[in-house]
Amino acid sequence: MATLNQWVAGARPRTLPSSIVPVAVGTGVAVGVGAPVWWKALLAMVVALALQVGVNYANDYSDGIRGTDTEERVGPVRLTAARLAPPRQVFWAAWACFAVAGVAGLVLVATSSWWLLLIGAVAIVAAWYYTGGTNPYGYRGLGELSVFVFFGLVAVVGTVFVQVGHVPWQAWVAAVPVGLLSCSVLVINNLRDIPTDAETGKITLAVRLGDAWTRRLYLACVAGAFVIALAALPASWWVALVVLAIPLATGPVRRVTGGQTGRDLILGLGETGKLQLAFGVLLTAGLALGALG
């Protein structure tokens, strides 16, 4: 029976900035245009966090029963593969999280627009079939695309829409760097796992690209996030605050471009999460301060 600490570790806390940041940035856009609805922002955060933890448990379950994860695999705790919890417990933990996301999402749907119900349903299906089912798309090199869409475009734009009632242009611009940094987390994670993923038939984008090009992809995601964020300057000159996060990018970028592997990339994953949080806070503040004119 897994301990509470092991369940928390199995939820992969280092990935949670990918769900926190897009909701924060979307709320920053809402503040900037003068139309924040704080209880809706809170519910959107519940949806995002529940989906993130749910997909992490779902991946733990699906990879564990498929044999992709092993006890020797480098990285965070795997509840199923390490036999810390019965597979069915991990399965139901994932679906309990999806249920929480669904309930919170239904409240937003009922108070915003019913077409959001379809978006929510697609998000849950995408979360499960990332590594679940007979033909998971995460094993076909489509993980980064899914992360960019759901933890970038959908999360930011959706957060803005439920509060504002429409989507101003700066929401779309802000969603792109948020999605790119979410992708960078997955890229460095999959870079670390190239050897074991290739052996077990998990054909991630990193496996398809190979080591060298995956490292270039990571650099492109991080650099692209800073460049594209500055496209929102016409909405608020305060967006330039994001450049203050550049020092936090130097550590993980050096690890990746310097050829580090294995456990060194686990440190880089944590550093990428810190970069993502700092960038998100600064971008949120910059967009919100646009309300000052």
Side-chain angles (χ1 to χ4, degrees):
M1 182 68 68
T3 65
L4 177 60
N5 285 341
Q6 288 169 334
W7 278 105
V8 171
R12 305 183 188 182
R14 288 181 177 178
T15 67
L16 296 186
S18 292
S19 54
I20 295 170
V21 168
V23 176
V25 169
T27 302
V29 173
V31 173
V33 299
V37 182
W38 296 106
W39 68 268
K40 288 188 176 183
L42 179 60
L43 275 182
M45 186 68 75
V46 171
V47 171
L49 285 170
L51 281 175
Q52 178 73 68
V53 175
V55 76
N56 288 344
Y57 283 143
N59 293 348
D60 187 303
Y61 167 78
S62 297
D63 284 343
I65 64 171
R66 188 173 275 109
T68 306
D69 281 347
T70 65
E71 293 184 60
E72 294 78 23
R73 191 179 182 94
V74 175
V77 169
R78 272 105 172 157
L79 297 167
T80 306
R83 299 181 178 87
L84 296 173
R88 296 304 291 178
Q89 286 188 5
V90 183
F91 173 91
W92 286 114
W95 281 99
C97 291
F98 294 152
V100 170
V103 170
L106 282 174
V107 177
L108 290 174
V109 166
T111 56
S112 301
S113 176
W114 285 101
W115 63 264
L116 290 174
L117 185 63
L118 176 61
I119 302 293
V122 171
I124 291 175
V125 170
W128 176 254
Y129 284 101
Y130 174 59
T131 57
T134 58
N135 190 29
Y137 66 87
Y139 283 37
R140 298 294 178 265
L142 298 174
E144 283 79 3
L145 176 61
S146 176
V147 165
F148 180 78
V149 170
F150 288 102
F151 288 96
L153 302 182
V154 171
V156 174
V157 171
T159 298
V160 175
F161 179 80
V162 297
Q163 296 183 66
V164 180
H166 65 279
V167 183
W169 67 268
Q170 56 264 46
W172 293 104
V173 173
V176 175
V178 169
L180 287 174
L181 284 182
S182 292
C183 284
S184 73
V185 173
L186 183 58
V187 170
I188 192 172
N189 182 78
N190 288 345
L191 171 64
R192 180 199 66 209
D193 291 340
I194 285 177
T196 50
D197 284 343
E199 288 178 5
T200 56
K202 185 176 182 179
I203 311 302
T204 63
L205 182 60
V207 172
R208 289 186 183 277
L209 293 176
D211 185 274
W213 277 103
T214 300
R215 293 177 189 274
R216 294 184 185 112
L217 176 60
Y218 177 86
L219 178 60
C221 287
V222 173
F226 283 96
V227 172
I228 296 172
L230 296 178
L233 282 173
S236 170
W237 289 104
W238 290 100
V239 167
L241 287 170
V242 297
V243 300
L244 297 177
I246 289 177
L248 292 176
T250 58
V253 166
R254 284 175 179 170
R255 289 184 189 279
V256 172
T257 59
Q260 293 187 11
T261 60
R263 296 191 180 279
D264 289 328
L265 290 179
I266 296 177
L267 297 176
L269 180 61
E271 291 167 346
T272 303
K274 292 176 182 177
L275 165 64
Q276 189 180 23
L277 272 176
F279 183 97
V281 168
L282 292 169
L283 181 56
T284 299
L287 291 164
L289 288 169
L292 299 178

